[in-house]
């Protein structure tokens, strides 16, 4: 049973425009959410996170929004750059901990930024 | 480069066989985690070792086992392989054994069972 879902397998965006990647979860106990970025032939790398006590967290061009009532989070990338082309994984934790043994991952969304 | 090294990068083997995947953590990291990513699935946590001891267990099959050696490298052993075991296997490492630490992932081993 997939507790973290990324329903869009792929997304294409023009360079300079906004990329919005979506993630839904089913477990109301999740209280910490993370986004990872993965390039081909590399492992996932941590990008940005948000605690359930917040509804927004911003880091440069990356902003994560959390809607707890809808059990939905999104990652906004503005402006999108070709180097952002990668697979993005959403992950969630139920214990306010970010260690890798507590994470439930989505299936990923492949973002392509077109120059 | 995350500093986590996994070998081999690719592995093709037949059903019923046994394989060993190897992971060298980042220098100074004591924890090693193993994850499996099957087709169209998210990463699934399998097992964690901290300083040689098993720390946490996830959805790991009984046919699978792991260990962490005194030099802190880890091996994941997969036996009686089935077609459904074909997947990307990621290793990650972190400094601590407590859970509130960032983990760094290796590039993965792609296992194909034919």
């Amino acid at each position: 049973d997939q507790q973290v879902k990324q329903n869009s397998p792929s997304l294409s965006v023009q360079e300079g425009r906004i990329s919005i990647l979506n993630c839904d979860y089913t477990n109301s106990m999740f209280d910490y959410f993370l986004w990872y970025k993965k390039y081909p032939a590399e492992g996932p790398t941590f990008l940005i996170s948000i605690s359930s006590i917040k509804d927004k967290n911003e880091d440069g061009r990356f902003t994560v929004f959390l809607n707890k009532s809808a059990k939905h989070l999104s990652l906004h990338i503005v402006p999108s750059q070709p180097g952002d082309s990668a697979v993005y994984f959403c992950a969630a934790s139920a214990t306010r901990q970010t260690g890798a043994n507590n994470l439930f991952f989505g299936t990923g969304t492949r973002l392509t930024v077109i120059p | 480069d995350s500093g986590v090294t996994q070998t081999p990068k690719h592995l093709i083997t037949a059903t019923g066989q046994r394989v060993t995947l190897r992971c060298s953590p980042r220098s100074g990291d004591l924890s090693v985690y193993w994850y499996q990513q099957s087709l169209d699935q998210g990463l699934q946590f399998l097992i964690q070792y901290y300083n040689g001891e098993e720390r946490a267990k996830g959805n790991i099959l009984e046919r699978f086992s792991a260990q962490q050696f005194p030099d802190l490298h880890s091996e994941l052993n997969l036996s009686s392989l089935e077609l459904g075991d074909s997947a990307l296997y990621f290793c990650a490492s972190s400094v601590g054994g407590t859970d509130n630490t960032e983990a760094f992932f290796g590039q993965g081993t792609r296992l194909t069972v034919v």
Side-chain angles (χ1 to χ4, degrees), chain A residues 41 43 97-102 106-107, chain B residues 35 40 42 45 48 56 99-100 106-107:
Chain A
Q97 293 167 331
T98 60
N101 67 5
N102 290 309
T107 52
Chain B
Y35 270 84
D40 296 330
F45 168 67
Q48 177 198 2
D99 298 318
N100 196 17
Q107 83 278 19

Side-chain angles (χ1 to χ4, degrees), chain A residues 5 9-10 13 24 30 38-39 43 51-52 56 63 76 81-82 87 94 99-101 110:
Chain A
K5 299 176 184 178
S10 62
V13 172
D24 298 294
F30 287 148
K38 182 184 178 305
Y39 291 117
S51 165
S52 61
K56 176 183 174 182
T63 303
H76 293 211
Q81 299 174 354
V87 177
N101 67 5
R110 182 178 301 279

Side-chain angles (χ1 to χ4, degrees), chain A residues 2 36 38 41-46 89 95-108, chain B residues 33 35 37 40-45 48 55-56 88 90 92 99-107:
Chain A
Q2 197 72 19
Y36 283 79
K38 182 184 178 305
E42 294 183 14
T45 55
F46 170 75
F89 290 98
T95 58
R96 288 190 180 275
Q97 293 167 331
T98 60
N101 67 5
N102 290 309
L103 296 176
F104 293 80
F105 282 84
T107 52
Chain B
Y33 312 80
Y35 270 84
Q37 185 186 13
D40 296 330
Q41 297 286 319
L43 281 77
Q44 304 281 333
F45 168 67
Q48 177 198 2
R55 174 59 65 99
L88 255 178
F90 287 103
D99 298 318
N100 196 17
T101 57
E102 181 182 350
F104 295 83
F105 284 80
Q107 83 278 19

Side-chain angles (χ1 to χ4, degrees), chain B residues 19-91:
Chain B
V19 297
T20 297
L21 312 184
R22 182 188 169 100
C23 171
S24 294
R26 292 189 322 156
S27 176
D29 284 359
L30 298 179
S31 271
V32 170
Y33 312 80
W34 286 98
Y35 270 84
Q36 178 193 54
Q37 185 186 13
S38 301
L39 190 64
D40 296 330
Q41 297 286 319
L43 281 77
Q44 304 281 333
F45 168 67
L46 296 178
I47 196 164
Q48 177 198 2
Y49 275 80
Y50 173 73
N51 204 20
E53 301 279 334
E54 183 183 303
R55 174 59 65 99
K57 217 168 193 177
N59 298 322
I60 188 165
L61 300 172
E62 286 191 13
R63 300 184 284 109
F64 296 0
S65 65
Q67 53 185 326
Q68 186 179 29
F69 294 87
D71 66 353
L72 300 177
H73 90 270
S74 178
E75 292 180 356
L76 179 67
N77 300 298
L78 315 176
S79 62
S80 303
L81 284 167
E82 303 174 359
L83 295 177
D85 297 327
S86 296
L88 255 178
Y89 290 84
F90 287 103
C91 168

Side-chain angles (χ1 to χ4, degrees), chain A residues 5 10 12 26 43 47-48 52-53 60 62 68 94 99-100 106 110 112 115:
Chain A
K5 299 176 184 178
S10 62
S12 291
T26 58
L47 186 59
I48 192 170
S52 61
I53 62 173
F62 301 90
K68 289 186 291 292
R110 182 178 301 279
T112 302

